[in-house]
Structure formats: structure tokens, C-alpha cells
Amino acid sequence: MVSYINILKLCVGADSVEDLVDWQESQRHRWPKGRAVHVTRMWPKREAEVLAGGSLYWVIKGVILARQRIVGLEKVEGADGILRCALVLDAEVIRTEAAARRPFQGWRYLDPAESPRDLPKGREREEALPHELAQALAEIGLR
């Protein structure tokens, strides 16, 4: 049985989950119905695990706040002729508990055991901890 792995990615240019949702909505005409697409430079070496139920967890302003289920990976060629990986996502943006993350380049794998839980449907946000407390908890692995 193949277990799954998630991907963690910075959501550059967004200040909130609403910004991410609004941007994706403005791009819907470019993507297959019911899907969103995010192009990244590197292809996951753990492709089978990503496709076995993984999600893309979005880090917005230093905090994981949302995820989207990964439904496929596609090769795309940029205008510069370089092959890239298109993460094909379910269009639904699922809000998660807030979890602080330090800045990083590119994307990282995120073990399901370390992934924040989904917020209940209809709950748009979690009452945030003070930034310093959330950061301290993240650093010791409790958040």
C-alpha cells in the first residue's frame, strides 16, 4: 500500500486565503473545469505518494492557512523552453488550522502527521495565536 505525502509551498503575492481564492477565480478560464493549476520548477521525486492522496498546503505570510487536493501532475514547457511541473489541484480551497512556518525556497514535502487539521466546514478562520507564541510552538514542533 502506498502512503501519501503532502507538498508545502509559499503562496507568494497573497496576503490572505481570500487573495488566493480571488486570484484562482480570475484564472479559472485557463484551467480544466473544477481544477486549479500551479506551476513549479521541480518535479516531485515522490510522485506516487503525492498522487496517492496528497494536498498542496499553502503558506501565506508565514502561516499555513489552506490546502488543495493534488489530483495530477503534468509536464509544461515555459516560454523559456524549460520543462516544469504543473500541480493540478482540486478547485476547492480548504481552510486549515494556522501553523507557522519559516520562509523557504521552492516547495517541501509535508508529512501528513505534521500537517495542520482542516477547519470545520463554514469556519473561515481559526482565532490566531499571537505571532510570537505561534512561532515558538512551531519551533518546538507543537504547532
Side-chain angles (χ1 to χ4, degrees):
M1 180 175 143
V2 177
S3 60
Y4 73 94
I5 192 82
N6 297 310
I7 290 180
L8 182 65
K9 179 93 175 76
L10 298 180
C11 190
V12 179
D15 290 328
S16 66
V17 176
E18 290 78 15
D19 285 347
L20 169 65
V21 170
D22 290 347
W23 184 84
Q24 287 188 356
E25 187 61 37
S26 76
Q27 302 301 306
R28 294 257 186 261
H29 65 279
R30 301 174 52 207
W31 301 328
K33 185 175 175 131
R35 302 289 183 241
V37 177
H38 180 77
V39 178
T40 186
R41 200 172 131 219
M42 302 302 293
W43 192 276
K45 289 182 173 61
R46 297 171 70 179
E47 175 180 356
E49 291 171 274
V50 169
L51 296 175
S55 289
L56 176 62
Y57 280 77
W58 291 108
V59 178
I60 299 172
K61 294 292 186 187
V63 181
I64 299 173
L65 293 174
R67 72 177 180 90
Q68 288 177 275
R69 196 170 50 84
I70 299 171
V71 298
L73 303 174
E74 296 178 0
K75 291 181 184 177
V76 293
E77 185 175 333
D80 55 8
I82 295 174
L83 280 179
R84 292 180 169 80
C85 178
L87 302 173
V88 181
L89 309 170
D90 186 273
E92 181 184 15
V93 175
I94 301 164
R95 293 168 189 271
T96 67
E97 292 179 333
R101 284 291 187 262
R102 291 184 174 166
F104 57 91
Q105 295 252 325
W107 54 263
R108 301 282 182 268
Y109 290 115
L110 179 63
D111 189 286
E114 298 173 12
S115 301
R117 293 176 296 194
D118 294 350
L119 290 178
K121 290 262 187 215
R123 189 164 144 201
E124 292 199 6
R125 61 184 47 85
E126 179 179 50
E127 292 304 316
L129 294 173
H131 180 71
E132 295 79 19
L133 178 57
Q135 189 69 35
L137 290 172
E139 287 174 7
I140 62 173
L142 294 177
R143 190 95 173 130

